[in-house]
Amino acid sequence: MTQALFYILAGVIVASALLVVTVRNLFHCALALALTMFGVSGVYLYLGWEFLAAVQVLIYVGAVTVLIIFGIMLTRQVMDDKARVMNNQVLLSLLAAGAVALVLYLVIGHSDFQYSNHPALTAAATAPAAEASAYADEVSSLAAGLLKPQNGFAFAFEFVSILLLSALVGAVVVARKDPS
Amino acid sequence: MTEVPIVHYLYLAAVLFVIGIFGVLARKNAISVLMGIELMLNAVNINYLAFAKYWGGGNLTGPVFAVFVITIAAAEAAVALAIVISIYRQLKSANVDDAHNLRG
């Protein structure tokens, strides 16, 4: 029963992702993208990452999609309904995407990913106190994973905040009207 | 209750990634290309979180990387849309094919 939920989510994700890349109207593309992001956050929920599912909804549905819709509205005048939405390398793109799909299919099929647990981990995972279960909830364990010095991500975590700031300033500078 | 095998997550992510590649390569509008990139980033995140759940054994590197991907995707979307708006001001077009000023 609960497995059906995953396959329904997968169907929604794939169908709306196909809509994102094929629909003519850019605005409808953005709405389909929001639906895809909701589906992906549903998959996160299904996997048990509640906090990341909430973050996914907040950032992707709440921020990125709205940003994209703003971008569409600001560049809208040029779009007419008769213009082609695809460039003249659709066949080549299909070929490239198909090649990547084939490689991914072969790699996944020939790997030992069929096991739901890593063969070496099933015994080992239970023995040492697993890091995640050392904390009461997902947020605390994720915070420990990000900020504990022995995990090695503390510097990257701080650096990402600098990256966000510079991206913000850079976006403002790039999009600003030329004063001259 | 038997769980969903991890390969199904991988196949879902692979399909999403391939759809994103097609969107990036075949669409004309720069904003559509950006949406394709977002699809590909989300496919990667599904893989990270599925592996962290099934194979991680309590290791938190997967979700930590997912957090970084989400953060940097947001920064990337902001900068990319600023560039698109700037290109639109210069060229009166948001199509990637029209932005060929640097072609020799």
Side-chain angles (χ1 to χ4, degrees), chain A residues 8-94:
Chain A
I8 293 168
L9 278 173
V12 169
I13 290 172
V14 171
S16 59
L18 280 174
L19 284 181
V20 170
V21 297
T22 51
V23 167
R24 304 186 59 83
N25 190 330
L26 266 182
F27 195 76
H28 295 169
C29 286
L31 295 182
L33 185 74
L35 186 60
T36 314
M37 297 313 175
F38 263 122
V40 172
S41 95
V43 169
Y44 294 176
L45 263 187
Y46 187 83
L47 278 164
W49 303 107
E50 291 101 358
F51 175 69
L52 285 173
V55 165
Q56 169 88 4
V57 172
L58 277 177
I59 294 186
Y60 274 112
V61 185
V64 172
T65 310
V66 171
L67 205 62
I68 285 176
I69 288 174
F70 268 117
I72 292 168
M73 285 174 166
L74 285 172
T75 60
R76 197 175 175 84
Q77 293 91 314
V78 75
M79 296 190 317
D80 58 281
D81 292 335
K82 260 82 77 185
R84 291 167 59 213
V85 289
M86 304 280 186
N87 56 22
N88 47 11
Q89 40 183 337
V90 175
L91 276 181
L92 213 60
S93 312
L94 269 180

Side-chain angles (χ1 to χ4, degrees), chain A residues 2-3 6-7 10 13-14 17-24 26 29-30 33 36-37 40 43-44 46-49 51-52 55-56 59-60 64 67-68 71-72 74-79 84-90 92-94 96-98 100-101 104-105 108-109 112-119 121 125 130-132 141-142 144-146 153 156-157 160 163-164 167-168 170-172 174-178, chain B residues 1-98:
Chain A
T2 50
Q3 283 162 291
F6 171 77
Y7 295 108
I13 290 172
V14 171
L18 280 174
L19 284 181
V20 170
V21 297
T22 51
V23 167
R24 304 186 59 83
L26 266 182
C29 286
L33 185 74
T36 314
M37 297 313 175
V40 172
V43 169
Y44 294 176
Y46 187 83
L47 278 164
W49 303 107
F51 175 69
L52 285 173
V55 165
Q56 169 88 4
I59 294 186
Y60 274 112
V64 172
L67 205 62
I68 285 176
I72 292 168
L74 285 172
T75 60
R76 197 175 175 84
Q77 293 91 314
V78 75
M79 296 190 317
R84 291 167 59 213
V85 289
M86 304 280 186
N87 56 22
N88 47 11
Q89 40 183 337
V90 175
L92 213 60
S93 312
L94 269 180
V100 174
L104 285 176
Y105 176 76
I108 294 171
D112 50 359
F113 296 150
Q114 272 74 15
Y115 306 109
S116 274
N117 285 300
H118 193 293
L121 265 179
E131 197 178 350
S141 55
L142 197 61
L146 274 169
F153 290 118
F157 178 80
V160 157
L163 177 92
L164 272 179
L168 199 71
V172 170
V174 169
R176 192 183 50 177
K177 267 218 170 71
D178 212 1
Chain B
M1 188 195 91
T2 53
E3 289 183 63
V4 178
I6 192 170
V7 264
H8 291 187
Y9 291 99
L10 301 185
Y11 283 134
L12 169 65
V15 169
L16 198 57
F17 192 83
V18 167
I19 294 172
I21 286 182
F22 177 75
V24 168
L25 291 177
R27 292 294 294 234
K28 248 180 155 176
N29 194 295
I31 295 173
S32 304
V33 173
L34 190 66
M35 288 194 240
I37 294 173
E38 299 293 343
L39 290 182
M40 289 158 75
L41 289 168
N42 271 277
V44 173
N45 266 354
I46 291 177
N47 270 2
Y48 272 135
L49 293 180
F51 270 121
K53 195 73 189 176
Y54 284 87
W55 281 29
N59 192 327
L60 285 165
T61 309
V64 164
F65 261 88
V67 169
F68 283 137
V69 169
I70 291 175
T71 317
I72 290 170
E76 169 251 328
V79 174
L81 280 169
I83 292 174
V84 169
I85 289 170
S86 184
I87 287 178
Y88 176 76
R89 281 220 192 92
Q90 301 284 327
L91 305 175
K92 296 283 166 266
S93 156
N95 287 350
V96 278
D97 298 340
D98 294 335

